[in-house]
Amino acid sequence: MAGTGQTRHLPEAPAVVLVGPQLGENIGMVARAMLNCGLGDLRLVRPRDGWPSESAAAAAAGATAVIDGVRLFEATNEAVADLQLLFAATARPRHMTKKTTTPRRAAADMRAFAARGGRAGVLLGPESRGLSNDDVALADALITIPLNPDFQSLNLAMAVLLVGYEWYLAGADDPGPALAMPKRSRPATKDEMGGLFEHLERELDACGFLRNEEKRPVTVRNLRNIFQRAGLTDQEVRTLRGVIAGLASGRGD
Amino acid sequence: MAGTGQTRHLPEAPAVVLVGPQLGENIGMVARAMLNCGLGDLRLVRPRDGWPSESAAAAAAGATAVIDGVRLFEATNEAVADLQLLFAATARPRHMTKKTTTPRRAAADMRAFAARGGRAGVLLGPESRGLSNDDVALADALITIPLNPDFQSLNLAMAVLLVGYEWYLAGADDPGPALAMPKRSRPATKDEMGGLFEHLERELDACGFLRNEEKRPVTVRNLRNIFQRAGLTDQEVRTLRGVIAGLASGRGD
């Protein structure tokens, strides 16, 4: 996985700042989630088990560029000194006069901010207890992830993934492929569809399936609807005509 | 953590079906991600290290209700037999004529579908190699997660989290109608679809259409995809089985 492609994280992507992370493994999984989302700027404030960390590198599973670029800080305010818009990710509500937002809204804010040349970041606390109130106070707003209120515990990498995912999608030129069809074959023409229908109905007449004259128009329409709805390719029309011919040709054997 | 609060997953929430998961730890993390998102129906097809699993229970970190409710299956088609709308999560593109969608669009589809009483699910393959083409063929559409194309590797729990997160959020809005189902008839179950496929393939074997052993798997998969895509109702499955029987029954006349 190593290669230049890894560095496709953009300069305007938000920084991720982990305050007092405990397990190297979790730092590695954060790095991996970041690279999934095109984020590259990872900053650590007093990681409990020191840095560099073998377990972090192992858990990063190929997100080497993020691990190699990690910067270490002694204090949270130093780690966020160059940032201009800072969100604090918190699981539990804080009794502070501070705006609370969601990953989706924060992503839109960060994109708009970056478009004007601003630097944004997200702050996350230790696995066990989250951010201190002093660290939260550094942030412009809180991010809470709006999931099942009865089971909110998300590990660090999961929280980073959801914030990063929203950030990534917020920058997509278009919101993603619309139920796209593979292009390996062209859609059947109406003429080809008509040929399929005539073939099927001719054989169904021959075997007696359509002998009820009263029901015939409804049955024929229903069958045509099924194949119409499937959005067939020209190749699929040929396959289905082979199926009809095959099933019918057994006759008289 | 066990308690009634945990069971806030809703009956209409999609099922998560893991085919051949390798590590119990990953199954536990999937259970945790599911409960974060209010999902409760976890199904396993041939977990490599057996079931129950101590490492799964440990990694579930409190998502006991999901682990306790796990159902085991020998084959993928049995695990999805009662589902009517099935998405296959795939990292790499598949050369199949099948719709591809995103977690956000799939979530809206599943919500709209559930609102009309349908049962939906998401299929995920083993950590190492993803779903087999035969398993993918069972699905109505593929979900790919639109993240950094240069670093797409997401572990199982991460993929489940993103799909579940979108499903959870989609419940906040009114998703509106998508993948519209006819209202006069209910969507066919996977079991009914399986019956249709077996019927068709049995007759195609009998008439010699599938005699080329080398091409057989591809032809069978292509045919299944066509009918899968059509979004058949139970009534339409019966009609098509009548068509197959009718065409084949002419034999010997």
Side-chain angles (χ1 to χ4, degrees):
Chain A
M1 290 297 288
T4 52
Q6 279 213 4
T7 57
R8 190 185 282 217
H9 46 82
L10 304 166
E12 73 268 24
V16 172
V17 185
L18 303 183
V19 181
Q22 299 173 306
L23 294 171
E25 186 187 353
N26 290 337
I27 300 171
M29 288 176 69
V30 165
R32 186 178 163 181
M34 287 176 63
L35 195 53
N36 285 141
C37 304
L39 306 184
D41 182 353
L42 177 56
R43 307 171 184 196
L44 307 178
V45 180
R46 298 184 309 276
R48 188 190 66 185
D49 296 341
W51 195 261
S53 155
E54 276 181 33
S55 56
T64 324
V66 179
I67 292 292
D68 290 349
V70 160
R71 279 179 288 166
L72 272 186
F73 296 89
E74 271 306 307
T76 309
N77 62 345
E78 294 166 15
V80 303
D82 61 319
L83 304 180
Q84 295 155 311
L85 175 65
L86 183 65
F87 292 93
T90 63
R92 55 198 164 88
R94 303 301 180 110
H95 299 296
M96 283 194 205
T97 313
K98 214 174 263 292
K99 201 174 76 169
T100 296
T101 188
T102 62
R104 193 163 297 175
R105 292 216 185 95
D109 288 348
M110 288 191 286
R111 284 280 180 183
F113 195 77
R116 294 192 299 275
R119 289 285 296 140
V122 181
L123 198 61
L124 298 100
E127 293 89 329
S128 53
R129 58 184 189 280
L131 289 166
S132 72
N133 282 343
D134 282 346
D135 286 343
V136 170
L138 291 167
D140 299 289
L142 308 182
I143 294 181
T144 59
I145 296 172
L147 288 174
N148 183 356
D150 294 325
F151 191 77
Q152 289 195 305
S153 83
L154 274 179
N155 66 35
L156 278 179
M158 296 290 204
V160 168
L161 180 72
L162 290 177
V163 173
Y165 167 79
E166 289 288 4
W167 180 84
Y168 194 90
L169 286 200
D173 296 332
D174 73 287
L179 287 177
M181 296 301 300
K183 293 205 177 101
R184 289 157 61 85
S185 185
R186 65 165 176 77
T189 64
K190 293 301 164 196
D191 195 44
E192 287 160 344
M193 292 301 286
L196 170 66
F197 296 150
E198 279 166 32
H199 187 173
L200 176 63
E201 289 147 24
R202 190 167 60 241
E203 291 297 348
L204 289 176
D205 276 326
C207 74
F209 184 79
L210 294 174
R211 64 182 166 269
N212 184 328
E213 281 298 324
E214 206 178 319
K215 282 190 186 171
R216 192 181 188 285
V218 175
T219 306
V220 163
R221 197 161 52 233
N222 288 347
L223 285 170
R224 288 184 174 210
N225 276 339
I226 289 171
F227 291 105
Q228 207 77 260
R229 232 164 45 215
L232 302 176
T233 66
D234 59 331
Q235 176 55 51
E236 287 170 339
V237 167
R238 283 194 294 276
T239 302
L240 286 172
R241 294 193 65 159
V243 165
I244 296 164
L247 288 171
S249 74
R251 276 180 228 158
D253 287 359
Chain B
M1 289 296 288
T4 53
Q6 280 213 4
T7 58
R8 189 185 282 217
H9 46 81
L10 304 167
E12 73 269 24
V16 172
V17 185
L18 303 183
V19 181
Q22 298 174 306
L23 295 171
E25 185 188 352
N26 289 338
I27 300 170
M29 288 177 69
V30 164
R32 183 177 165 182
M34 286 175 63
L35 195 54
N36 284 142
C37 304
L39 306 183
D41 182 353
L42 177 57
R43 309 172 183 194
L44 306 179
V45 180
R46 299 185 309 276
R48 187 190 67 186
D49 296 341
W51 194 260
S53 156
E54 278 181 33
S55 56
T64 324
V66 178
I67 292 291
D68 290 349
V70 160
R71 280 179 287 167
L72 270 186
F73 296 88
E74 271 305 307
T76 309
N77 62 341
E78 294 166 13
V80 303
D82 62 316
L83 303 179
Q84 295 156 313
L85 177 65
L86 183 65
F87 292 93
T90 63
R92 57 199 164 87
R94 304 299 180 111
H95 298 298
M96 280 193 205
T97 312
K98 214 174 259 291
K99 291 174 196 169
T100 298
T101 189
T102 62
R104 192 162 297 174
R105 292 227 171 94
D109 287 345
M110 289 191 285
R111 284 279 179 184
F113 196 76
R116 293 191 297 276
R119 290 283 296 138
V122 182
L123 197 61
L124 299 100
E127 293 90 329
S128 53
R129 58 183 188 281
L131 290 165
S132 72
N133 282 342
D134 282 345
D135 286 342
V136 169
L138 291 166
D140 299 288
L142 308 182
I143 294 181
T144 59
I145 296 171
L147 287 175
N148 183 357
D150 294 325
F151 192 75
Q152 289 195 305
S153 82
L154 273 179
N155 66 35
L156 278 179
M158 296 289 204
V160 168
L161 180 73
L162 290 177
V163 173
Y165 167 78
E166 290 286 5
W167 181 84
Y168 195 90
L169 288 199
D173 324 320
D174 177 19
L179 281 186
M181 296 302 302
K183 287 191 184 122
R184 293 159 58 85
S185 183
R186 64 165 178 76
T189 65
K190 292 299 163 194
D191 200 40
E192 288 162 343
M193 293 299 289
L196 170 66
F197 295 150
E198 278 165 32
H199 187 171
L200 176 62
E201 289 148 23
R202 192 166 60 240
E203 291 297 348
L204 289 176
D205 276 324
C207 75
F209 184 79
L210 294 174
R211 66 183 163 268
N212 184 328
E213 281 298 322
E214 205 176 321
K215 283 190 185 170
R216 192 183 189 283
V218 174
T219 307
V220 163
R221 196 154 59 228
N222 289 345
L223 284 170
R224 289 183 173 211
N225 277 337
I226 289 172
F227 291 105
Q228 203 81 258
R229 236 162 44 212
L232 301 177
T233 67
D234 59 332
Q235 177 54 53
E236 287 171 339
V237 167
R238 284 194 294 275
T239 301
L240 286 171
R241 293 191 67 159
V243 164
I244 296 164
L247 288 171
S249 74
R251 275 179 228 159
D253 286 359

